């Protein structure tokens, strides 16, 4: 039934026991809600499977109580740092610069009305879009799944860049109710936007009709996907979705070759001259492009790199303290005014913080490990340790993707003056012909 939400001009739809799944655009005075004003929505129960992307729960691995870093003895902390440095030996701590742009954002970037914050967000979106294009993922007949979509601006710019590309679908995943969404304003006939209000932990992509019926290759994207949400998104794409698709579509090699040949004969997009616009063959996940964020919000159960940590002789305890110490990477750049204190305590545990105060180089979400830093370490040493923690956690994700048949890479996608969280994780399936596949 339709119900008016208290204190709101919008209308909400409730179905059975499912939660509110989406909003319609605010109803204008004197006008009835019409089909053209409706944002595509679907009941959460259609694609909800409890904890499908959560990972295995092993209570024996997780200690009952872990004290804050500020309560650790100096000897204990030194032991943890020693383990960190040993585990990080051989890792390349200097990532490649892949700071890019895209002509789709040229006018927006040069708009004189932009403030500093708007400009910094646009620079990040432009670089992410440029990296998507460099990986040959920007083309027709694809489904872009934006995790932690917030207002949907990243998908918006992807759609602008695609112009009149055929058969493009966008699925925007966001667990929070979001105001000022831009996806409801799109009216291109070749693009379809669908917004899902759900925690990534419970999202089953296989149950979304456009993916189960039309077999559009999925491109997973995200801008500042906070902590644990990155691991949930990776498992959602390459384990829950891709693995099940491959199981359903197993067929003899001769039949696959025949089907590929038939597809080229009947599909005009696959003819000579258009090979760069479509994947060489259908693959469940064509690529992944995620801007990483907030490693201190990771947790052991959901982390995809547990096997990597265990191979290094590390476990849940070390992971807990490493993810807490990861906030030291920006400990020297925290604004100490009352204004910053008020801002950084407003939003917690969101999969994507659309306000992104931590992006502009002045604000930083705080935690107990960052507020009570050990006195025997200098600020420079703390920053190096924090960066090592981030690198080690991300390396576990790299190892996970390699084991799942992908060629992943980490790179800097924006200047630290634009965003302190400036690392981009990309991955292509191993059979991809793109040259950008070195880890």
């Amino acid at each position: 039934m339709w119900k008016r939400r208290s204190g709101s001009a919008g209308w909400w739809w409730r179905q059975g026991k499912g939660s509110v799944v989406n909003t319609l655009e605010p109803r204008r005075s004197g006008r009835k809600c019409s089909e053209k004003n409706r944002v595509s929505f679907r009941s959460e129960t259609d694609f909800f499977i409890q904890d499908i992307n959560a990972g295995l729960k092993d209570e024996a691995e997780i200690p009952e109580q872990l004290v804050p870093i500020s309560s650790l003895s100096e000897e204990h902390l030194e032991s943890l740092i020693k383990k960190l440095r040993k585990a990080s030996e051989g890792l390349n701590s200097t990532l490649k610069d892949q700071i890019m742009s895209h002509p789709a954002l040229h006018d927006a970037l040069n708009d004189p009305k932009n403030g500093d914050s708007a400009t910094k967000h646009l620079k990040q979106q432009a670089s992410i879009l440029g990296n998507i294009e460099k990986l040959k993922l920007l083309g027709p007949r694809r489904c872009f799944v934006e995790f932690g979509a917030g207002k949907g601006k990243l998908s918006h710019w992807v759609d602008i860049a695609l112009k009149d590309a055929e058969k493009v679908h966008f699925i925007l995943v966001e667990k929070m109710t979001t105001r000022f969404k831009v996806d409801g304003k799109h009216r291109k006939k070749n693009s379809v936007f669908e917004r899902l209000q759900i925690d990534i932990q419970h999202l089953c992509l296989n149950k979304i009709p456009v993916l189960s019926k039309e077999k559009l290759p999925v491109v997973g994207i995200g801008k500042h996907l906070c902590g644990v949400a990155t691991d949930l998104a990776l498992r959602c794409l390459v384990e829950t979705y891709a693995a099940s698709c491959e199981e359903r579509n197993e067929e003899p090699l001769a039949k696959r070759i025949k089907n590929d040949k038939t597809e080229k004969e009947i599909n005009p997009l696959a003819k000579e001259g258009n090979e760069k616009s479509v994947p060489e063959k259908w693959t469940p996940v064509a690529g992944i492009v995620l801007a990483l964020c907030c490693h201190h919000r990771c947790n052991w159960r959901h982390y995809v790199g547990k096997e990597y940590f265990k191979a290094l002789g590390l476990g849940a305890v070390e992971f807990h303290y490493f993810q807490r110490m990861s906030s030291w990477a920006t400990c020297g750049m925290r604004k100490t005014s009352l204004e910053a204190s008020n801002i950084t305590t407003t939003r917690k545990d969101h999969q994507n913080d659309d306000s992104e105060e931590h992006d502009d180089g002045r604000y930083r979400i705080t935690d107990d490990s960052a507020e009570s830093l050990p006195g025997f370490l200098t600020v420079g040493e703390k920053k190096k340790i924090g960066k090592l923690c981030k690198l080690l956690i991300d390396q576990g994700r790299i190892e996970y993707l390699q084991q799942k048949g992908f060629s992943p890479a980490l790179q800097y996608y924006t200047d630290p003056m634009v965003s302190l969280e400036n690392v981009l994780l990309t991955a292509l399936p191993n059979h991809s012909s793109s040259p950008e596949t070195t880890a």
Side-chain angles (χ1 to χ4, degrees):
M1 66 179 70
W2 292 106
K3 290 187 177 181
R4 180 182 290 278
R5 184 185 181 192
S6 177
S8 171
W11 291 80
W12 296 67
W13 174 258
R14 290 185 180 275
Q15 178 173 337
K17 297 181 180 180
S19 64
V20 173
V21 296
N22 216 320
T23 63
L24 302 185
E25 293 183 357
R27 183 178 174 185
R28 298 182 181 178
S29 176
R31 301 175 68 180
K32 294 183 180 180
C33 174
S34 63
E35 185 68 26
K36 74 173 184 177
N37 287 330
R38 185 172 299 181
V39 178
S40 177
F41 68 91
R42 193 175 301 281
S43 170
E44 180 181 294
T45 55
D46 290 345
F47 45 80
F48 179 101
I49 297 182
Q50 183 74 36
D51 294 331
I52 189 171
N53 302 313
L56 297 176
K57 188 175 183 179
D58 187 348
E59 298 291 353
E61 292 184 354
I62 305 174
E64 292 183 3
Q65 187 174 2
L66 291 167
V67 300
I69 286 183
S70 56
S71 299
L72 294 177
S73 67
E74 187 173 313
E75 292 75 15
H76 191 175
L77 188 56
E78 285 180 333
S79 175
L80 285 169
I81 294 172
K82 185 177 180 180
K83 288 183 178 181
L84 171 68
R85 286 175 171 153
K86 182 179 179 180
S88 303
E89 289 177 357
L91 294 183
N92 182 13
S93 59
T94 305
L95 305 182
K96 182 181 179 182
D97 281 332
Q98 283 286 78
I99 300 174
M100 307 187 73
S101 191
H102 194 281
L105 286 91
H106 180 267
D107 291 342
L109 282 166
N110 291 281
D111 188 342
K113 297 179 181 179
N114 288 338
D116 288 344
S117 179
T119 299
K120 289 176 179 179
H121 286 298
L122 287 168
K123 285 182 178 179
Q124 294 171 70
Q125 290 155 353
S127 184
I128 294 172
L129 195 56
N131 276 279
I132 293 173
E133 184 173 58
K134 187 178 179 69
L135 294 169
K136 299 182 181 179
L137 296 173
L138 200 61
R141 299 183 60 82
R142 285 166 171 79
C143 179
F144 292 88
V145 179
E146 183 180 355
F147 294 94
K151 298 173 186 176
K153 290 185 178 179
L154 182 56
S155 290
H156 164 78
W157 290 115
V158 171
D159 187 45
I160 296 297
L162 287 170
K163 298 180 180 178
D164 295 321
E166 296 184 5
K167 207 167 187 178
V168 179
H169 200 101
F170 292 90
I171 296 175
L172 282 66
V173 182
E174 174 58 61
K175 73 175 182 178
M176 306 303 298
T177 302
T178 306
R179 300 177 65 195
F180 311 118
K181 297 183 289 290
V182 298
D183 42 291
K185 300 177 182 179
H186 286 272
R187 293 292 179 267
K188 286 170 60 176
K189 64 180 181 180
N190 294 327
S191 300
V192 178
F193 281 77
E194 185 171 3
R195 178 173 284 268
L196 310 182
Q197 187 176 334
I198 187 174
D199 192 309
I200 303 169
Q201 182 169 331
H202 314 300
L203 172 61
C204 181
L205 290 177
N206 302 322
K207 291 182 172 290
I208 298 175
V210 71
L211 297 180
S212 61
K213 296 178 182 178
E214 299 189 32
K215 291 187 176 182
L216 293 176
V218 167
V219 180
I221 60 176
K223 176 177 176 285
H224 290 286
L225 198 56
C226 285
V228 65
T230 295
D231 298 300
L232 296 174
L234 290 177
R235 191 175 283 111
C236 177
L237 287 167
V238 307
E239 196 168 332
T240 304
Y241 179 64
S244 63
C245 287
E246 289 170 359
E247 289 175 3
R248 291 200 312 266
N249 290 282
E250 285 184 354
E251 57 184 25
L253 178 60
K255 185 177 180 181
R256 288 203 302 270
I257 294 174
K258 180 180 179 181
N259 289 342
D260 290 343
K261 183 178 179 181
T262 303
E263 173 67 15
K264 288 185 177 181
E265 290 173 352
I266 65 175
N267 184 358
L269 289 173
K271 291 182 179 179
E272 187 176 356
N274 289 298
E275 288 84 351
K276 293 184 179 180
S277 299
V278 294
E280 288 186 345
K281 67 174 183 177
W282 181 80
T283 181
V285 178
I288 300 169
V289 182
L290 302 175
L292 305 178
C293 177
C294 297
H295 293 69
H296 64 276
R297 291 184 178 181
C298 297
N299 70 58
W300 179 251
R301 179 191 174 183
H302 303 316
Y303 180 51
V304 296
K306 284 194 285 189
E307 293 306 315
Y308 172 71
F309 260 60
K310 290 176 181 178
L312 294 171
L314 305 173
V317 174
E318 289 82 7
F319 179 83
H320 170 80
Y321 288 119
F322 291 168
Q323 56 98 355
R324 301 302 283 177
M325 288 190 291
S326 70
S327 62
W328 294 1
T330 53
C331 66
M333 304 179 185
R334 187 174 290 103
K335 190 172 182 178
T336 57
S337 69
L338 178 61
E339 177 188 4
S341 176
N342 290 337
I343 291 175
T344 55
T345 56
T346 54
R347 286 176 64 115
K348 294 183 178 180
D349 199 34
H350 288 190
Q351 291 179 351
N352 184 321
D353 186 347
D354 230 16
S355 58
E356 293 182 293
E357 291 90 352
H358 53 284
D359 276 0
D360 65 3
R362 294 174 296 161
Y363 304 116
R364 181 67 188 156
I365 297 172
T366 62
D367 64 355
D368 61 356
S369 65
E371 294 301 297
S372 302
L373 300 171
F376 69 91
L377 294 171
T378 67
V379 170
E381 289 171 336
K382 294 164 191 172
K383 288 174 63 177
K384 288 180 180 179
I385 291 169
K387 289 181 178 180
L388 275 183
C389 290
K390 286 176 173 281
L391 181 63
L392 192 66
I393 291 171
D394 289 338
Q395 186 61 33
R397 292 163 171 165
I398 291 290
E399 296 284 337
Y400 169 82
L401 287 167
Q402 288 174 340
Q403 292 176 6
K404 297 298 180 180
F406 286 79
S407 295
L410 295 168
Q411 53 262 315
Y412 295 122
Y413 78 99
T414 194
D415 189 277
M417 295 302 293
V418 173
S419 175
L420 298 176
E421 300 283 10
N422 63 337
V423 174
L424 190 70
L425 171 64
T426 62
L428 295 174
N430 283 332
H431 64 257
S432 171
S433 61
S434 172
E436 304 299 320
T437 58
T438 52

